[in-house]
Amino acid sequence: MHFSNPRRNLLVTATALLSLAPLTVFAQATPRTPADLVLRNGRIMTVDSSGPQAQALAVRGSRIVAIGTNAQINRLVGKNTRVIDLTGKLAVPGLIEGHGHFMGLGEAKMKLDLTQAKSWNDIVAMVRNVSRDVAKDSW
């Protein structure tokens, strides 16, 4: 997806990258192979209680390979690494959501779905099948 606003492009890119992998890999455990992409000078939320925020991250291929300080991640910058300066902006893990109303979806899962029933006998059979799994005192 392409947006004409460069800042929005950056936000979309950072959000997409942050959604690719769990953010628990830190720079100390990363090989020195150059990264394909580095985001630095940011406020990067890691969703890791032992290090909830970082300055920079490195991506190789479609994986986040390191998260840490600017100095730690700068070691992974090579001649072909694309470097994006977040200039202090916030970057958070991306969420992919197909616009579901979660309460409504949850409630729907608690009800018998009769949309596939073609007859009264189909409905009776569906109720019979579901009721087999329900404890007698839970009705």
Side-chain angles (χ1 to χ4, degrees):
M1 184 178 297
H2 177 71
F3 297 99
S4 59
N5 182 329
R7 286 186 178 165
R8 191 163 192 189
N9 283 342
L10 174 62
L11 178 62
V12 170
T13 300
T15 301
L17 287 171
L18 288 172
S19 68
L20 293 175
L23 299 178
T24 58
V25 180
F26 286 88
Q28 299 88 312
T30 303
R32 301 272 176 134
T33 305
D36 298 322
L37 173 70
V38 164
L39 304 179
R40 63 181 171 200
N41 297 318
R43 292 180 13 236
I44 300 169
M45 298 298 120
T46 67
V47 194
D48 181 350
S49 59
S50 67
Q53 190 169 324
Q55 286 182 309
L57 70 80
V59 176
R60 194 175 302 118
S62 62
R63 299 260 186 215
I64 296 172
V65 294
I67 269 197
T69 64
N70 287 330
Q72 290 169 321
I73 302 304
N74 282 342
R75 296 183 304 199
L76 297 172
V77 174
K79 66 178 183 168
N80 295 320
T81 302
R82 179 177 177 209
V83 177
I84 297 175
D85 187 344
L86 296 177
T87 63
K89 292 183 180 65
L90 179 67
V92 297
L95 300 175
I96 299 170
E97 196 273 313
H99 192 76
H101 295 264
F102 295 112
M103 291 299 292
L105 289 171
E107 288 173 1
K109 290 292 188 184
M110 295 175 64
K111 297 176 183 173
L112 186 57
D113 179 8
L114 301 177
T115 59
Q116 302 301 311
K118 293 181 175 41
S119 68
W120 178 252
N121 289 336
D122 286 350
I123 293 171
V124 171
M126 292 169 85
V127 170
R128 184 182 312 113
N129 290 337
V130 170
S131 66
R132 287 183 190 143
D133 298 329
V134 177
K136 290 182 181 183
D137 60 349
S138 67
W139 287 86

